[in-house]
Structure formats: structure tokens, C-alpha cells
Amino acid sequence: MRARGHHLICLHFFKGEGYTEEFVDNLKSFLENVRKQEIEIVVGADDVCIACPNLEDGICNKGEEDIMELDLLAMNLLKVKPGDRVGWAEVESKLDEILKIWKRYACFDCEYSHVCGKDERWKQS
Ligand code: SF4
């Protein structure tokens, strides 16, 4: 499975919402399998992006450069780099330590922050 940096953090707070039905179905399937195998960290579009209506010719039309900055921040906080293979539980175990910084620098203008805000881990960080 392939994941870009910010998805390693954001997807822990998925609550069934997303851009389209196809996108949500793909996301559910990703999350069903993510604990069964290692995740390879990639730069750019990943296994979540492939079903996203915002992906055009392999580029995120929501602003690939801004998204890549989020990916970089996520990788720095998680202390991983492209090409690394990580387990989902390993990433999850780092969330408490990094969420406060992540919320401050990554979430302020995200359209889904109200969704993550329902999560207990989110509220407590
Ligand atoms: S294409 Fe952009 S909006 Fe869609 S999942 Fe990937 S990063 Fe998110």
C-alpha cells in the first residue's frame, strides 16, 4: 500500500465522509487493509488519491505544492521519509506526541477539520 505523508495522519480521523462515493469506498477499503500490510511512503499521489475527483493527470488540483508541504510536515513529525515502510499501528502510536503541532500548522484551513474535531484523540490533543 502506498501513502503520502499527510494521509498517514489525517486518515486516522476518517468518519465516513469524503468527496464522492467512489472516493469514500476506496478510503474504506484502504483502511480495512492498512493494518494487514506495510505502507510504503511516497511523494505525490498515493492509493487514496487514485480514486479522488481532485486528481488530474496524477496531480492534486487542490494545490499539489501546498499538499506536498503538508506531506513534508507530516513526514518530519513522524520521522519518516519517502521510500520508508511503516506499520499503521506504529504511526498511530506517534499521534499523541505530534497532534498538537499538526493541528496548529496543518488543520487551520482544512475543510474536514470539523470531522476530525469529533474524535476524542483530536479533542484531547
Ligand atoms: S488528490 Fe488531493 S484532495 Fe484528493 S486525496 Fe489526494 S491529496 Fe487529497
Side-chain angles (χ1 to χ4, degrees):
M1 303 183 80
R2 300 157 63 253
R4 61 191 305 163
H6 81 277
H7 284 161
L8 292 171
I9 298 177
C10 301
L11 299 189
H12 291 271
F13 304 98
F14 175 67
K15 297 280 185 280
E17 296 178 39
Y19 303 114
T20 61
E21 200 176 322
E22 185 192 355
F23 179 75
V24 169
D25 286 348
N26 180 54
L27 202 38
K28 284 179 180 167
S29 151
F30 181 93
L31 290 170
E32 274 168 23
N33 292 311
V34 82
R35 288 180 191 279
K36 300 176 195 161
Q37 48 196 291
E38 284 194 321
I39 306 152
E40 180 189 353
I41 300 170
V42 297
V43 174
D46 63 5
D47 288 349
V48 175
C49 298
I50 51 170
C52 181
N54 299 312
L55 192 71
E56 285 180 22
D57 298 327
I59 303 289
C60 176
N61 69 14
K62 289 185 81 82
E64 186 69 44
E65 282 188 19
D66 289 344
I67 304 281
M68 281 206 176
E69 278 187 25
L70 281 183
D71 291 336
L72 198 57
L73 175 61
M75 288 190 286
N76 284 336
L77 289 172
L78 293 168
K79 298 185 174 65
V80 295
K81 59 186 186 312
D84 283 354
R85 291 178 171 271
V86 293
W88 194 243
E90 179 190 339
V91 174
E92 195 169 43
S93 71
K94 298 179 182 175
L95 288 182
D96 287 347
E97 194 183 316
I98 65 167
L99 266 185
K100 202 168 190 166
I101 300 175
W102 180 251
K103 283 166 69 173
R104 180 165 177 189
Y105 293 104
C107 310
F108 57 92
D109 63 348
C110 176
E111 65 193 292
Y112 285 105
S113 57
H114 67 287
V115 175
C116 301
K118 296 174 190 167
D119 191 282
E120 280 309 314
R121 282 170 303 178
W122 196 261
K123 288 183 202 164
Q124 286 164 18
S125 64

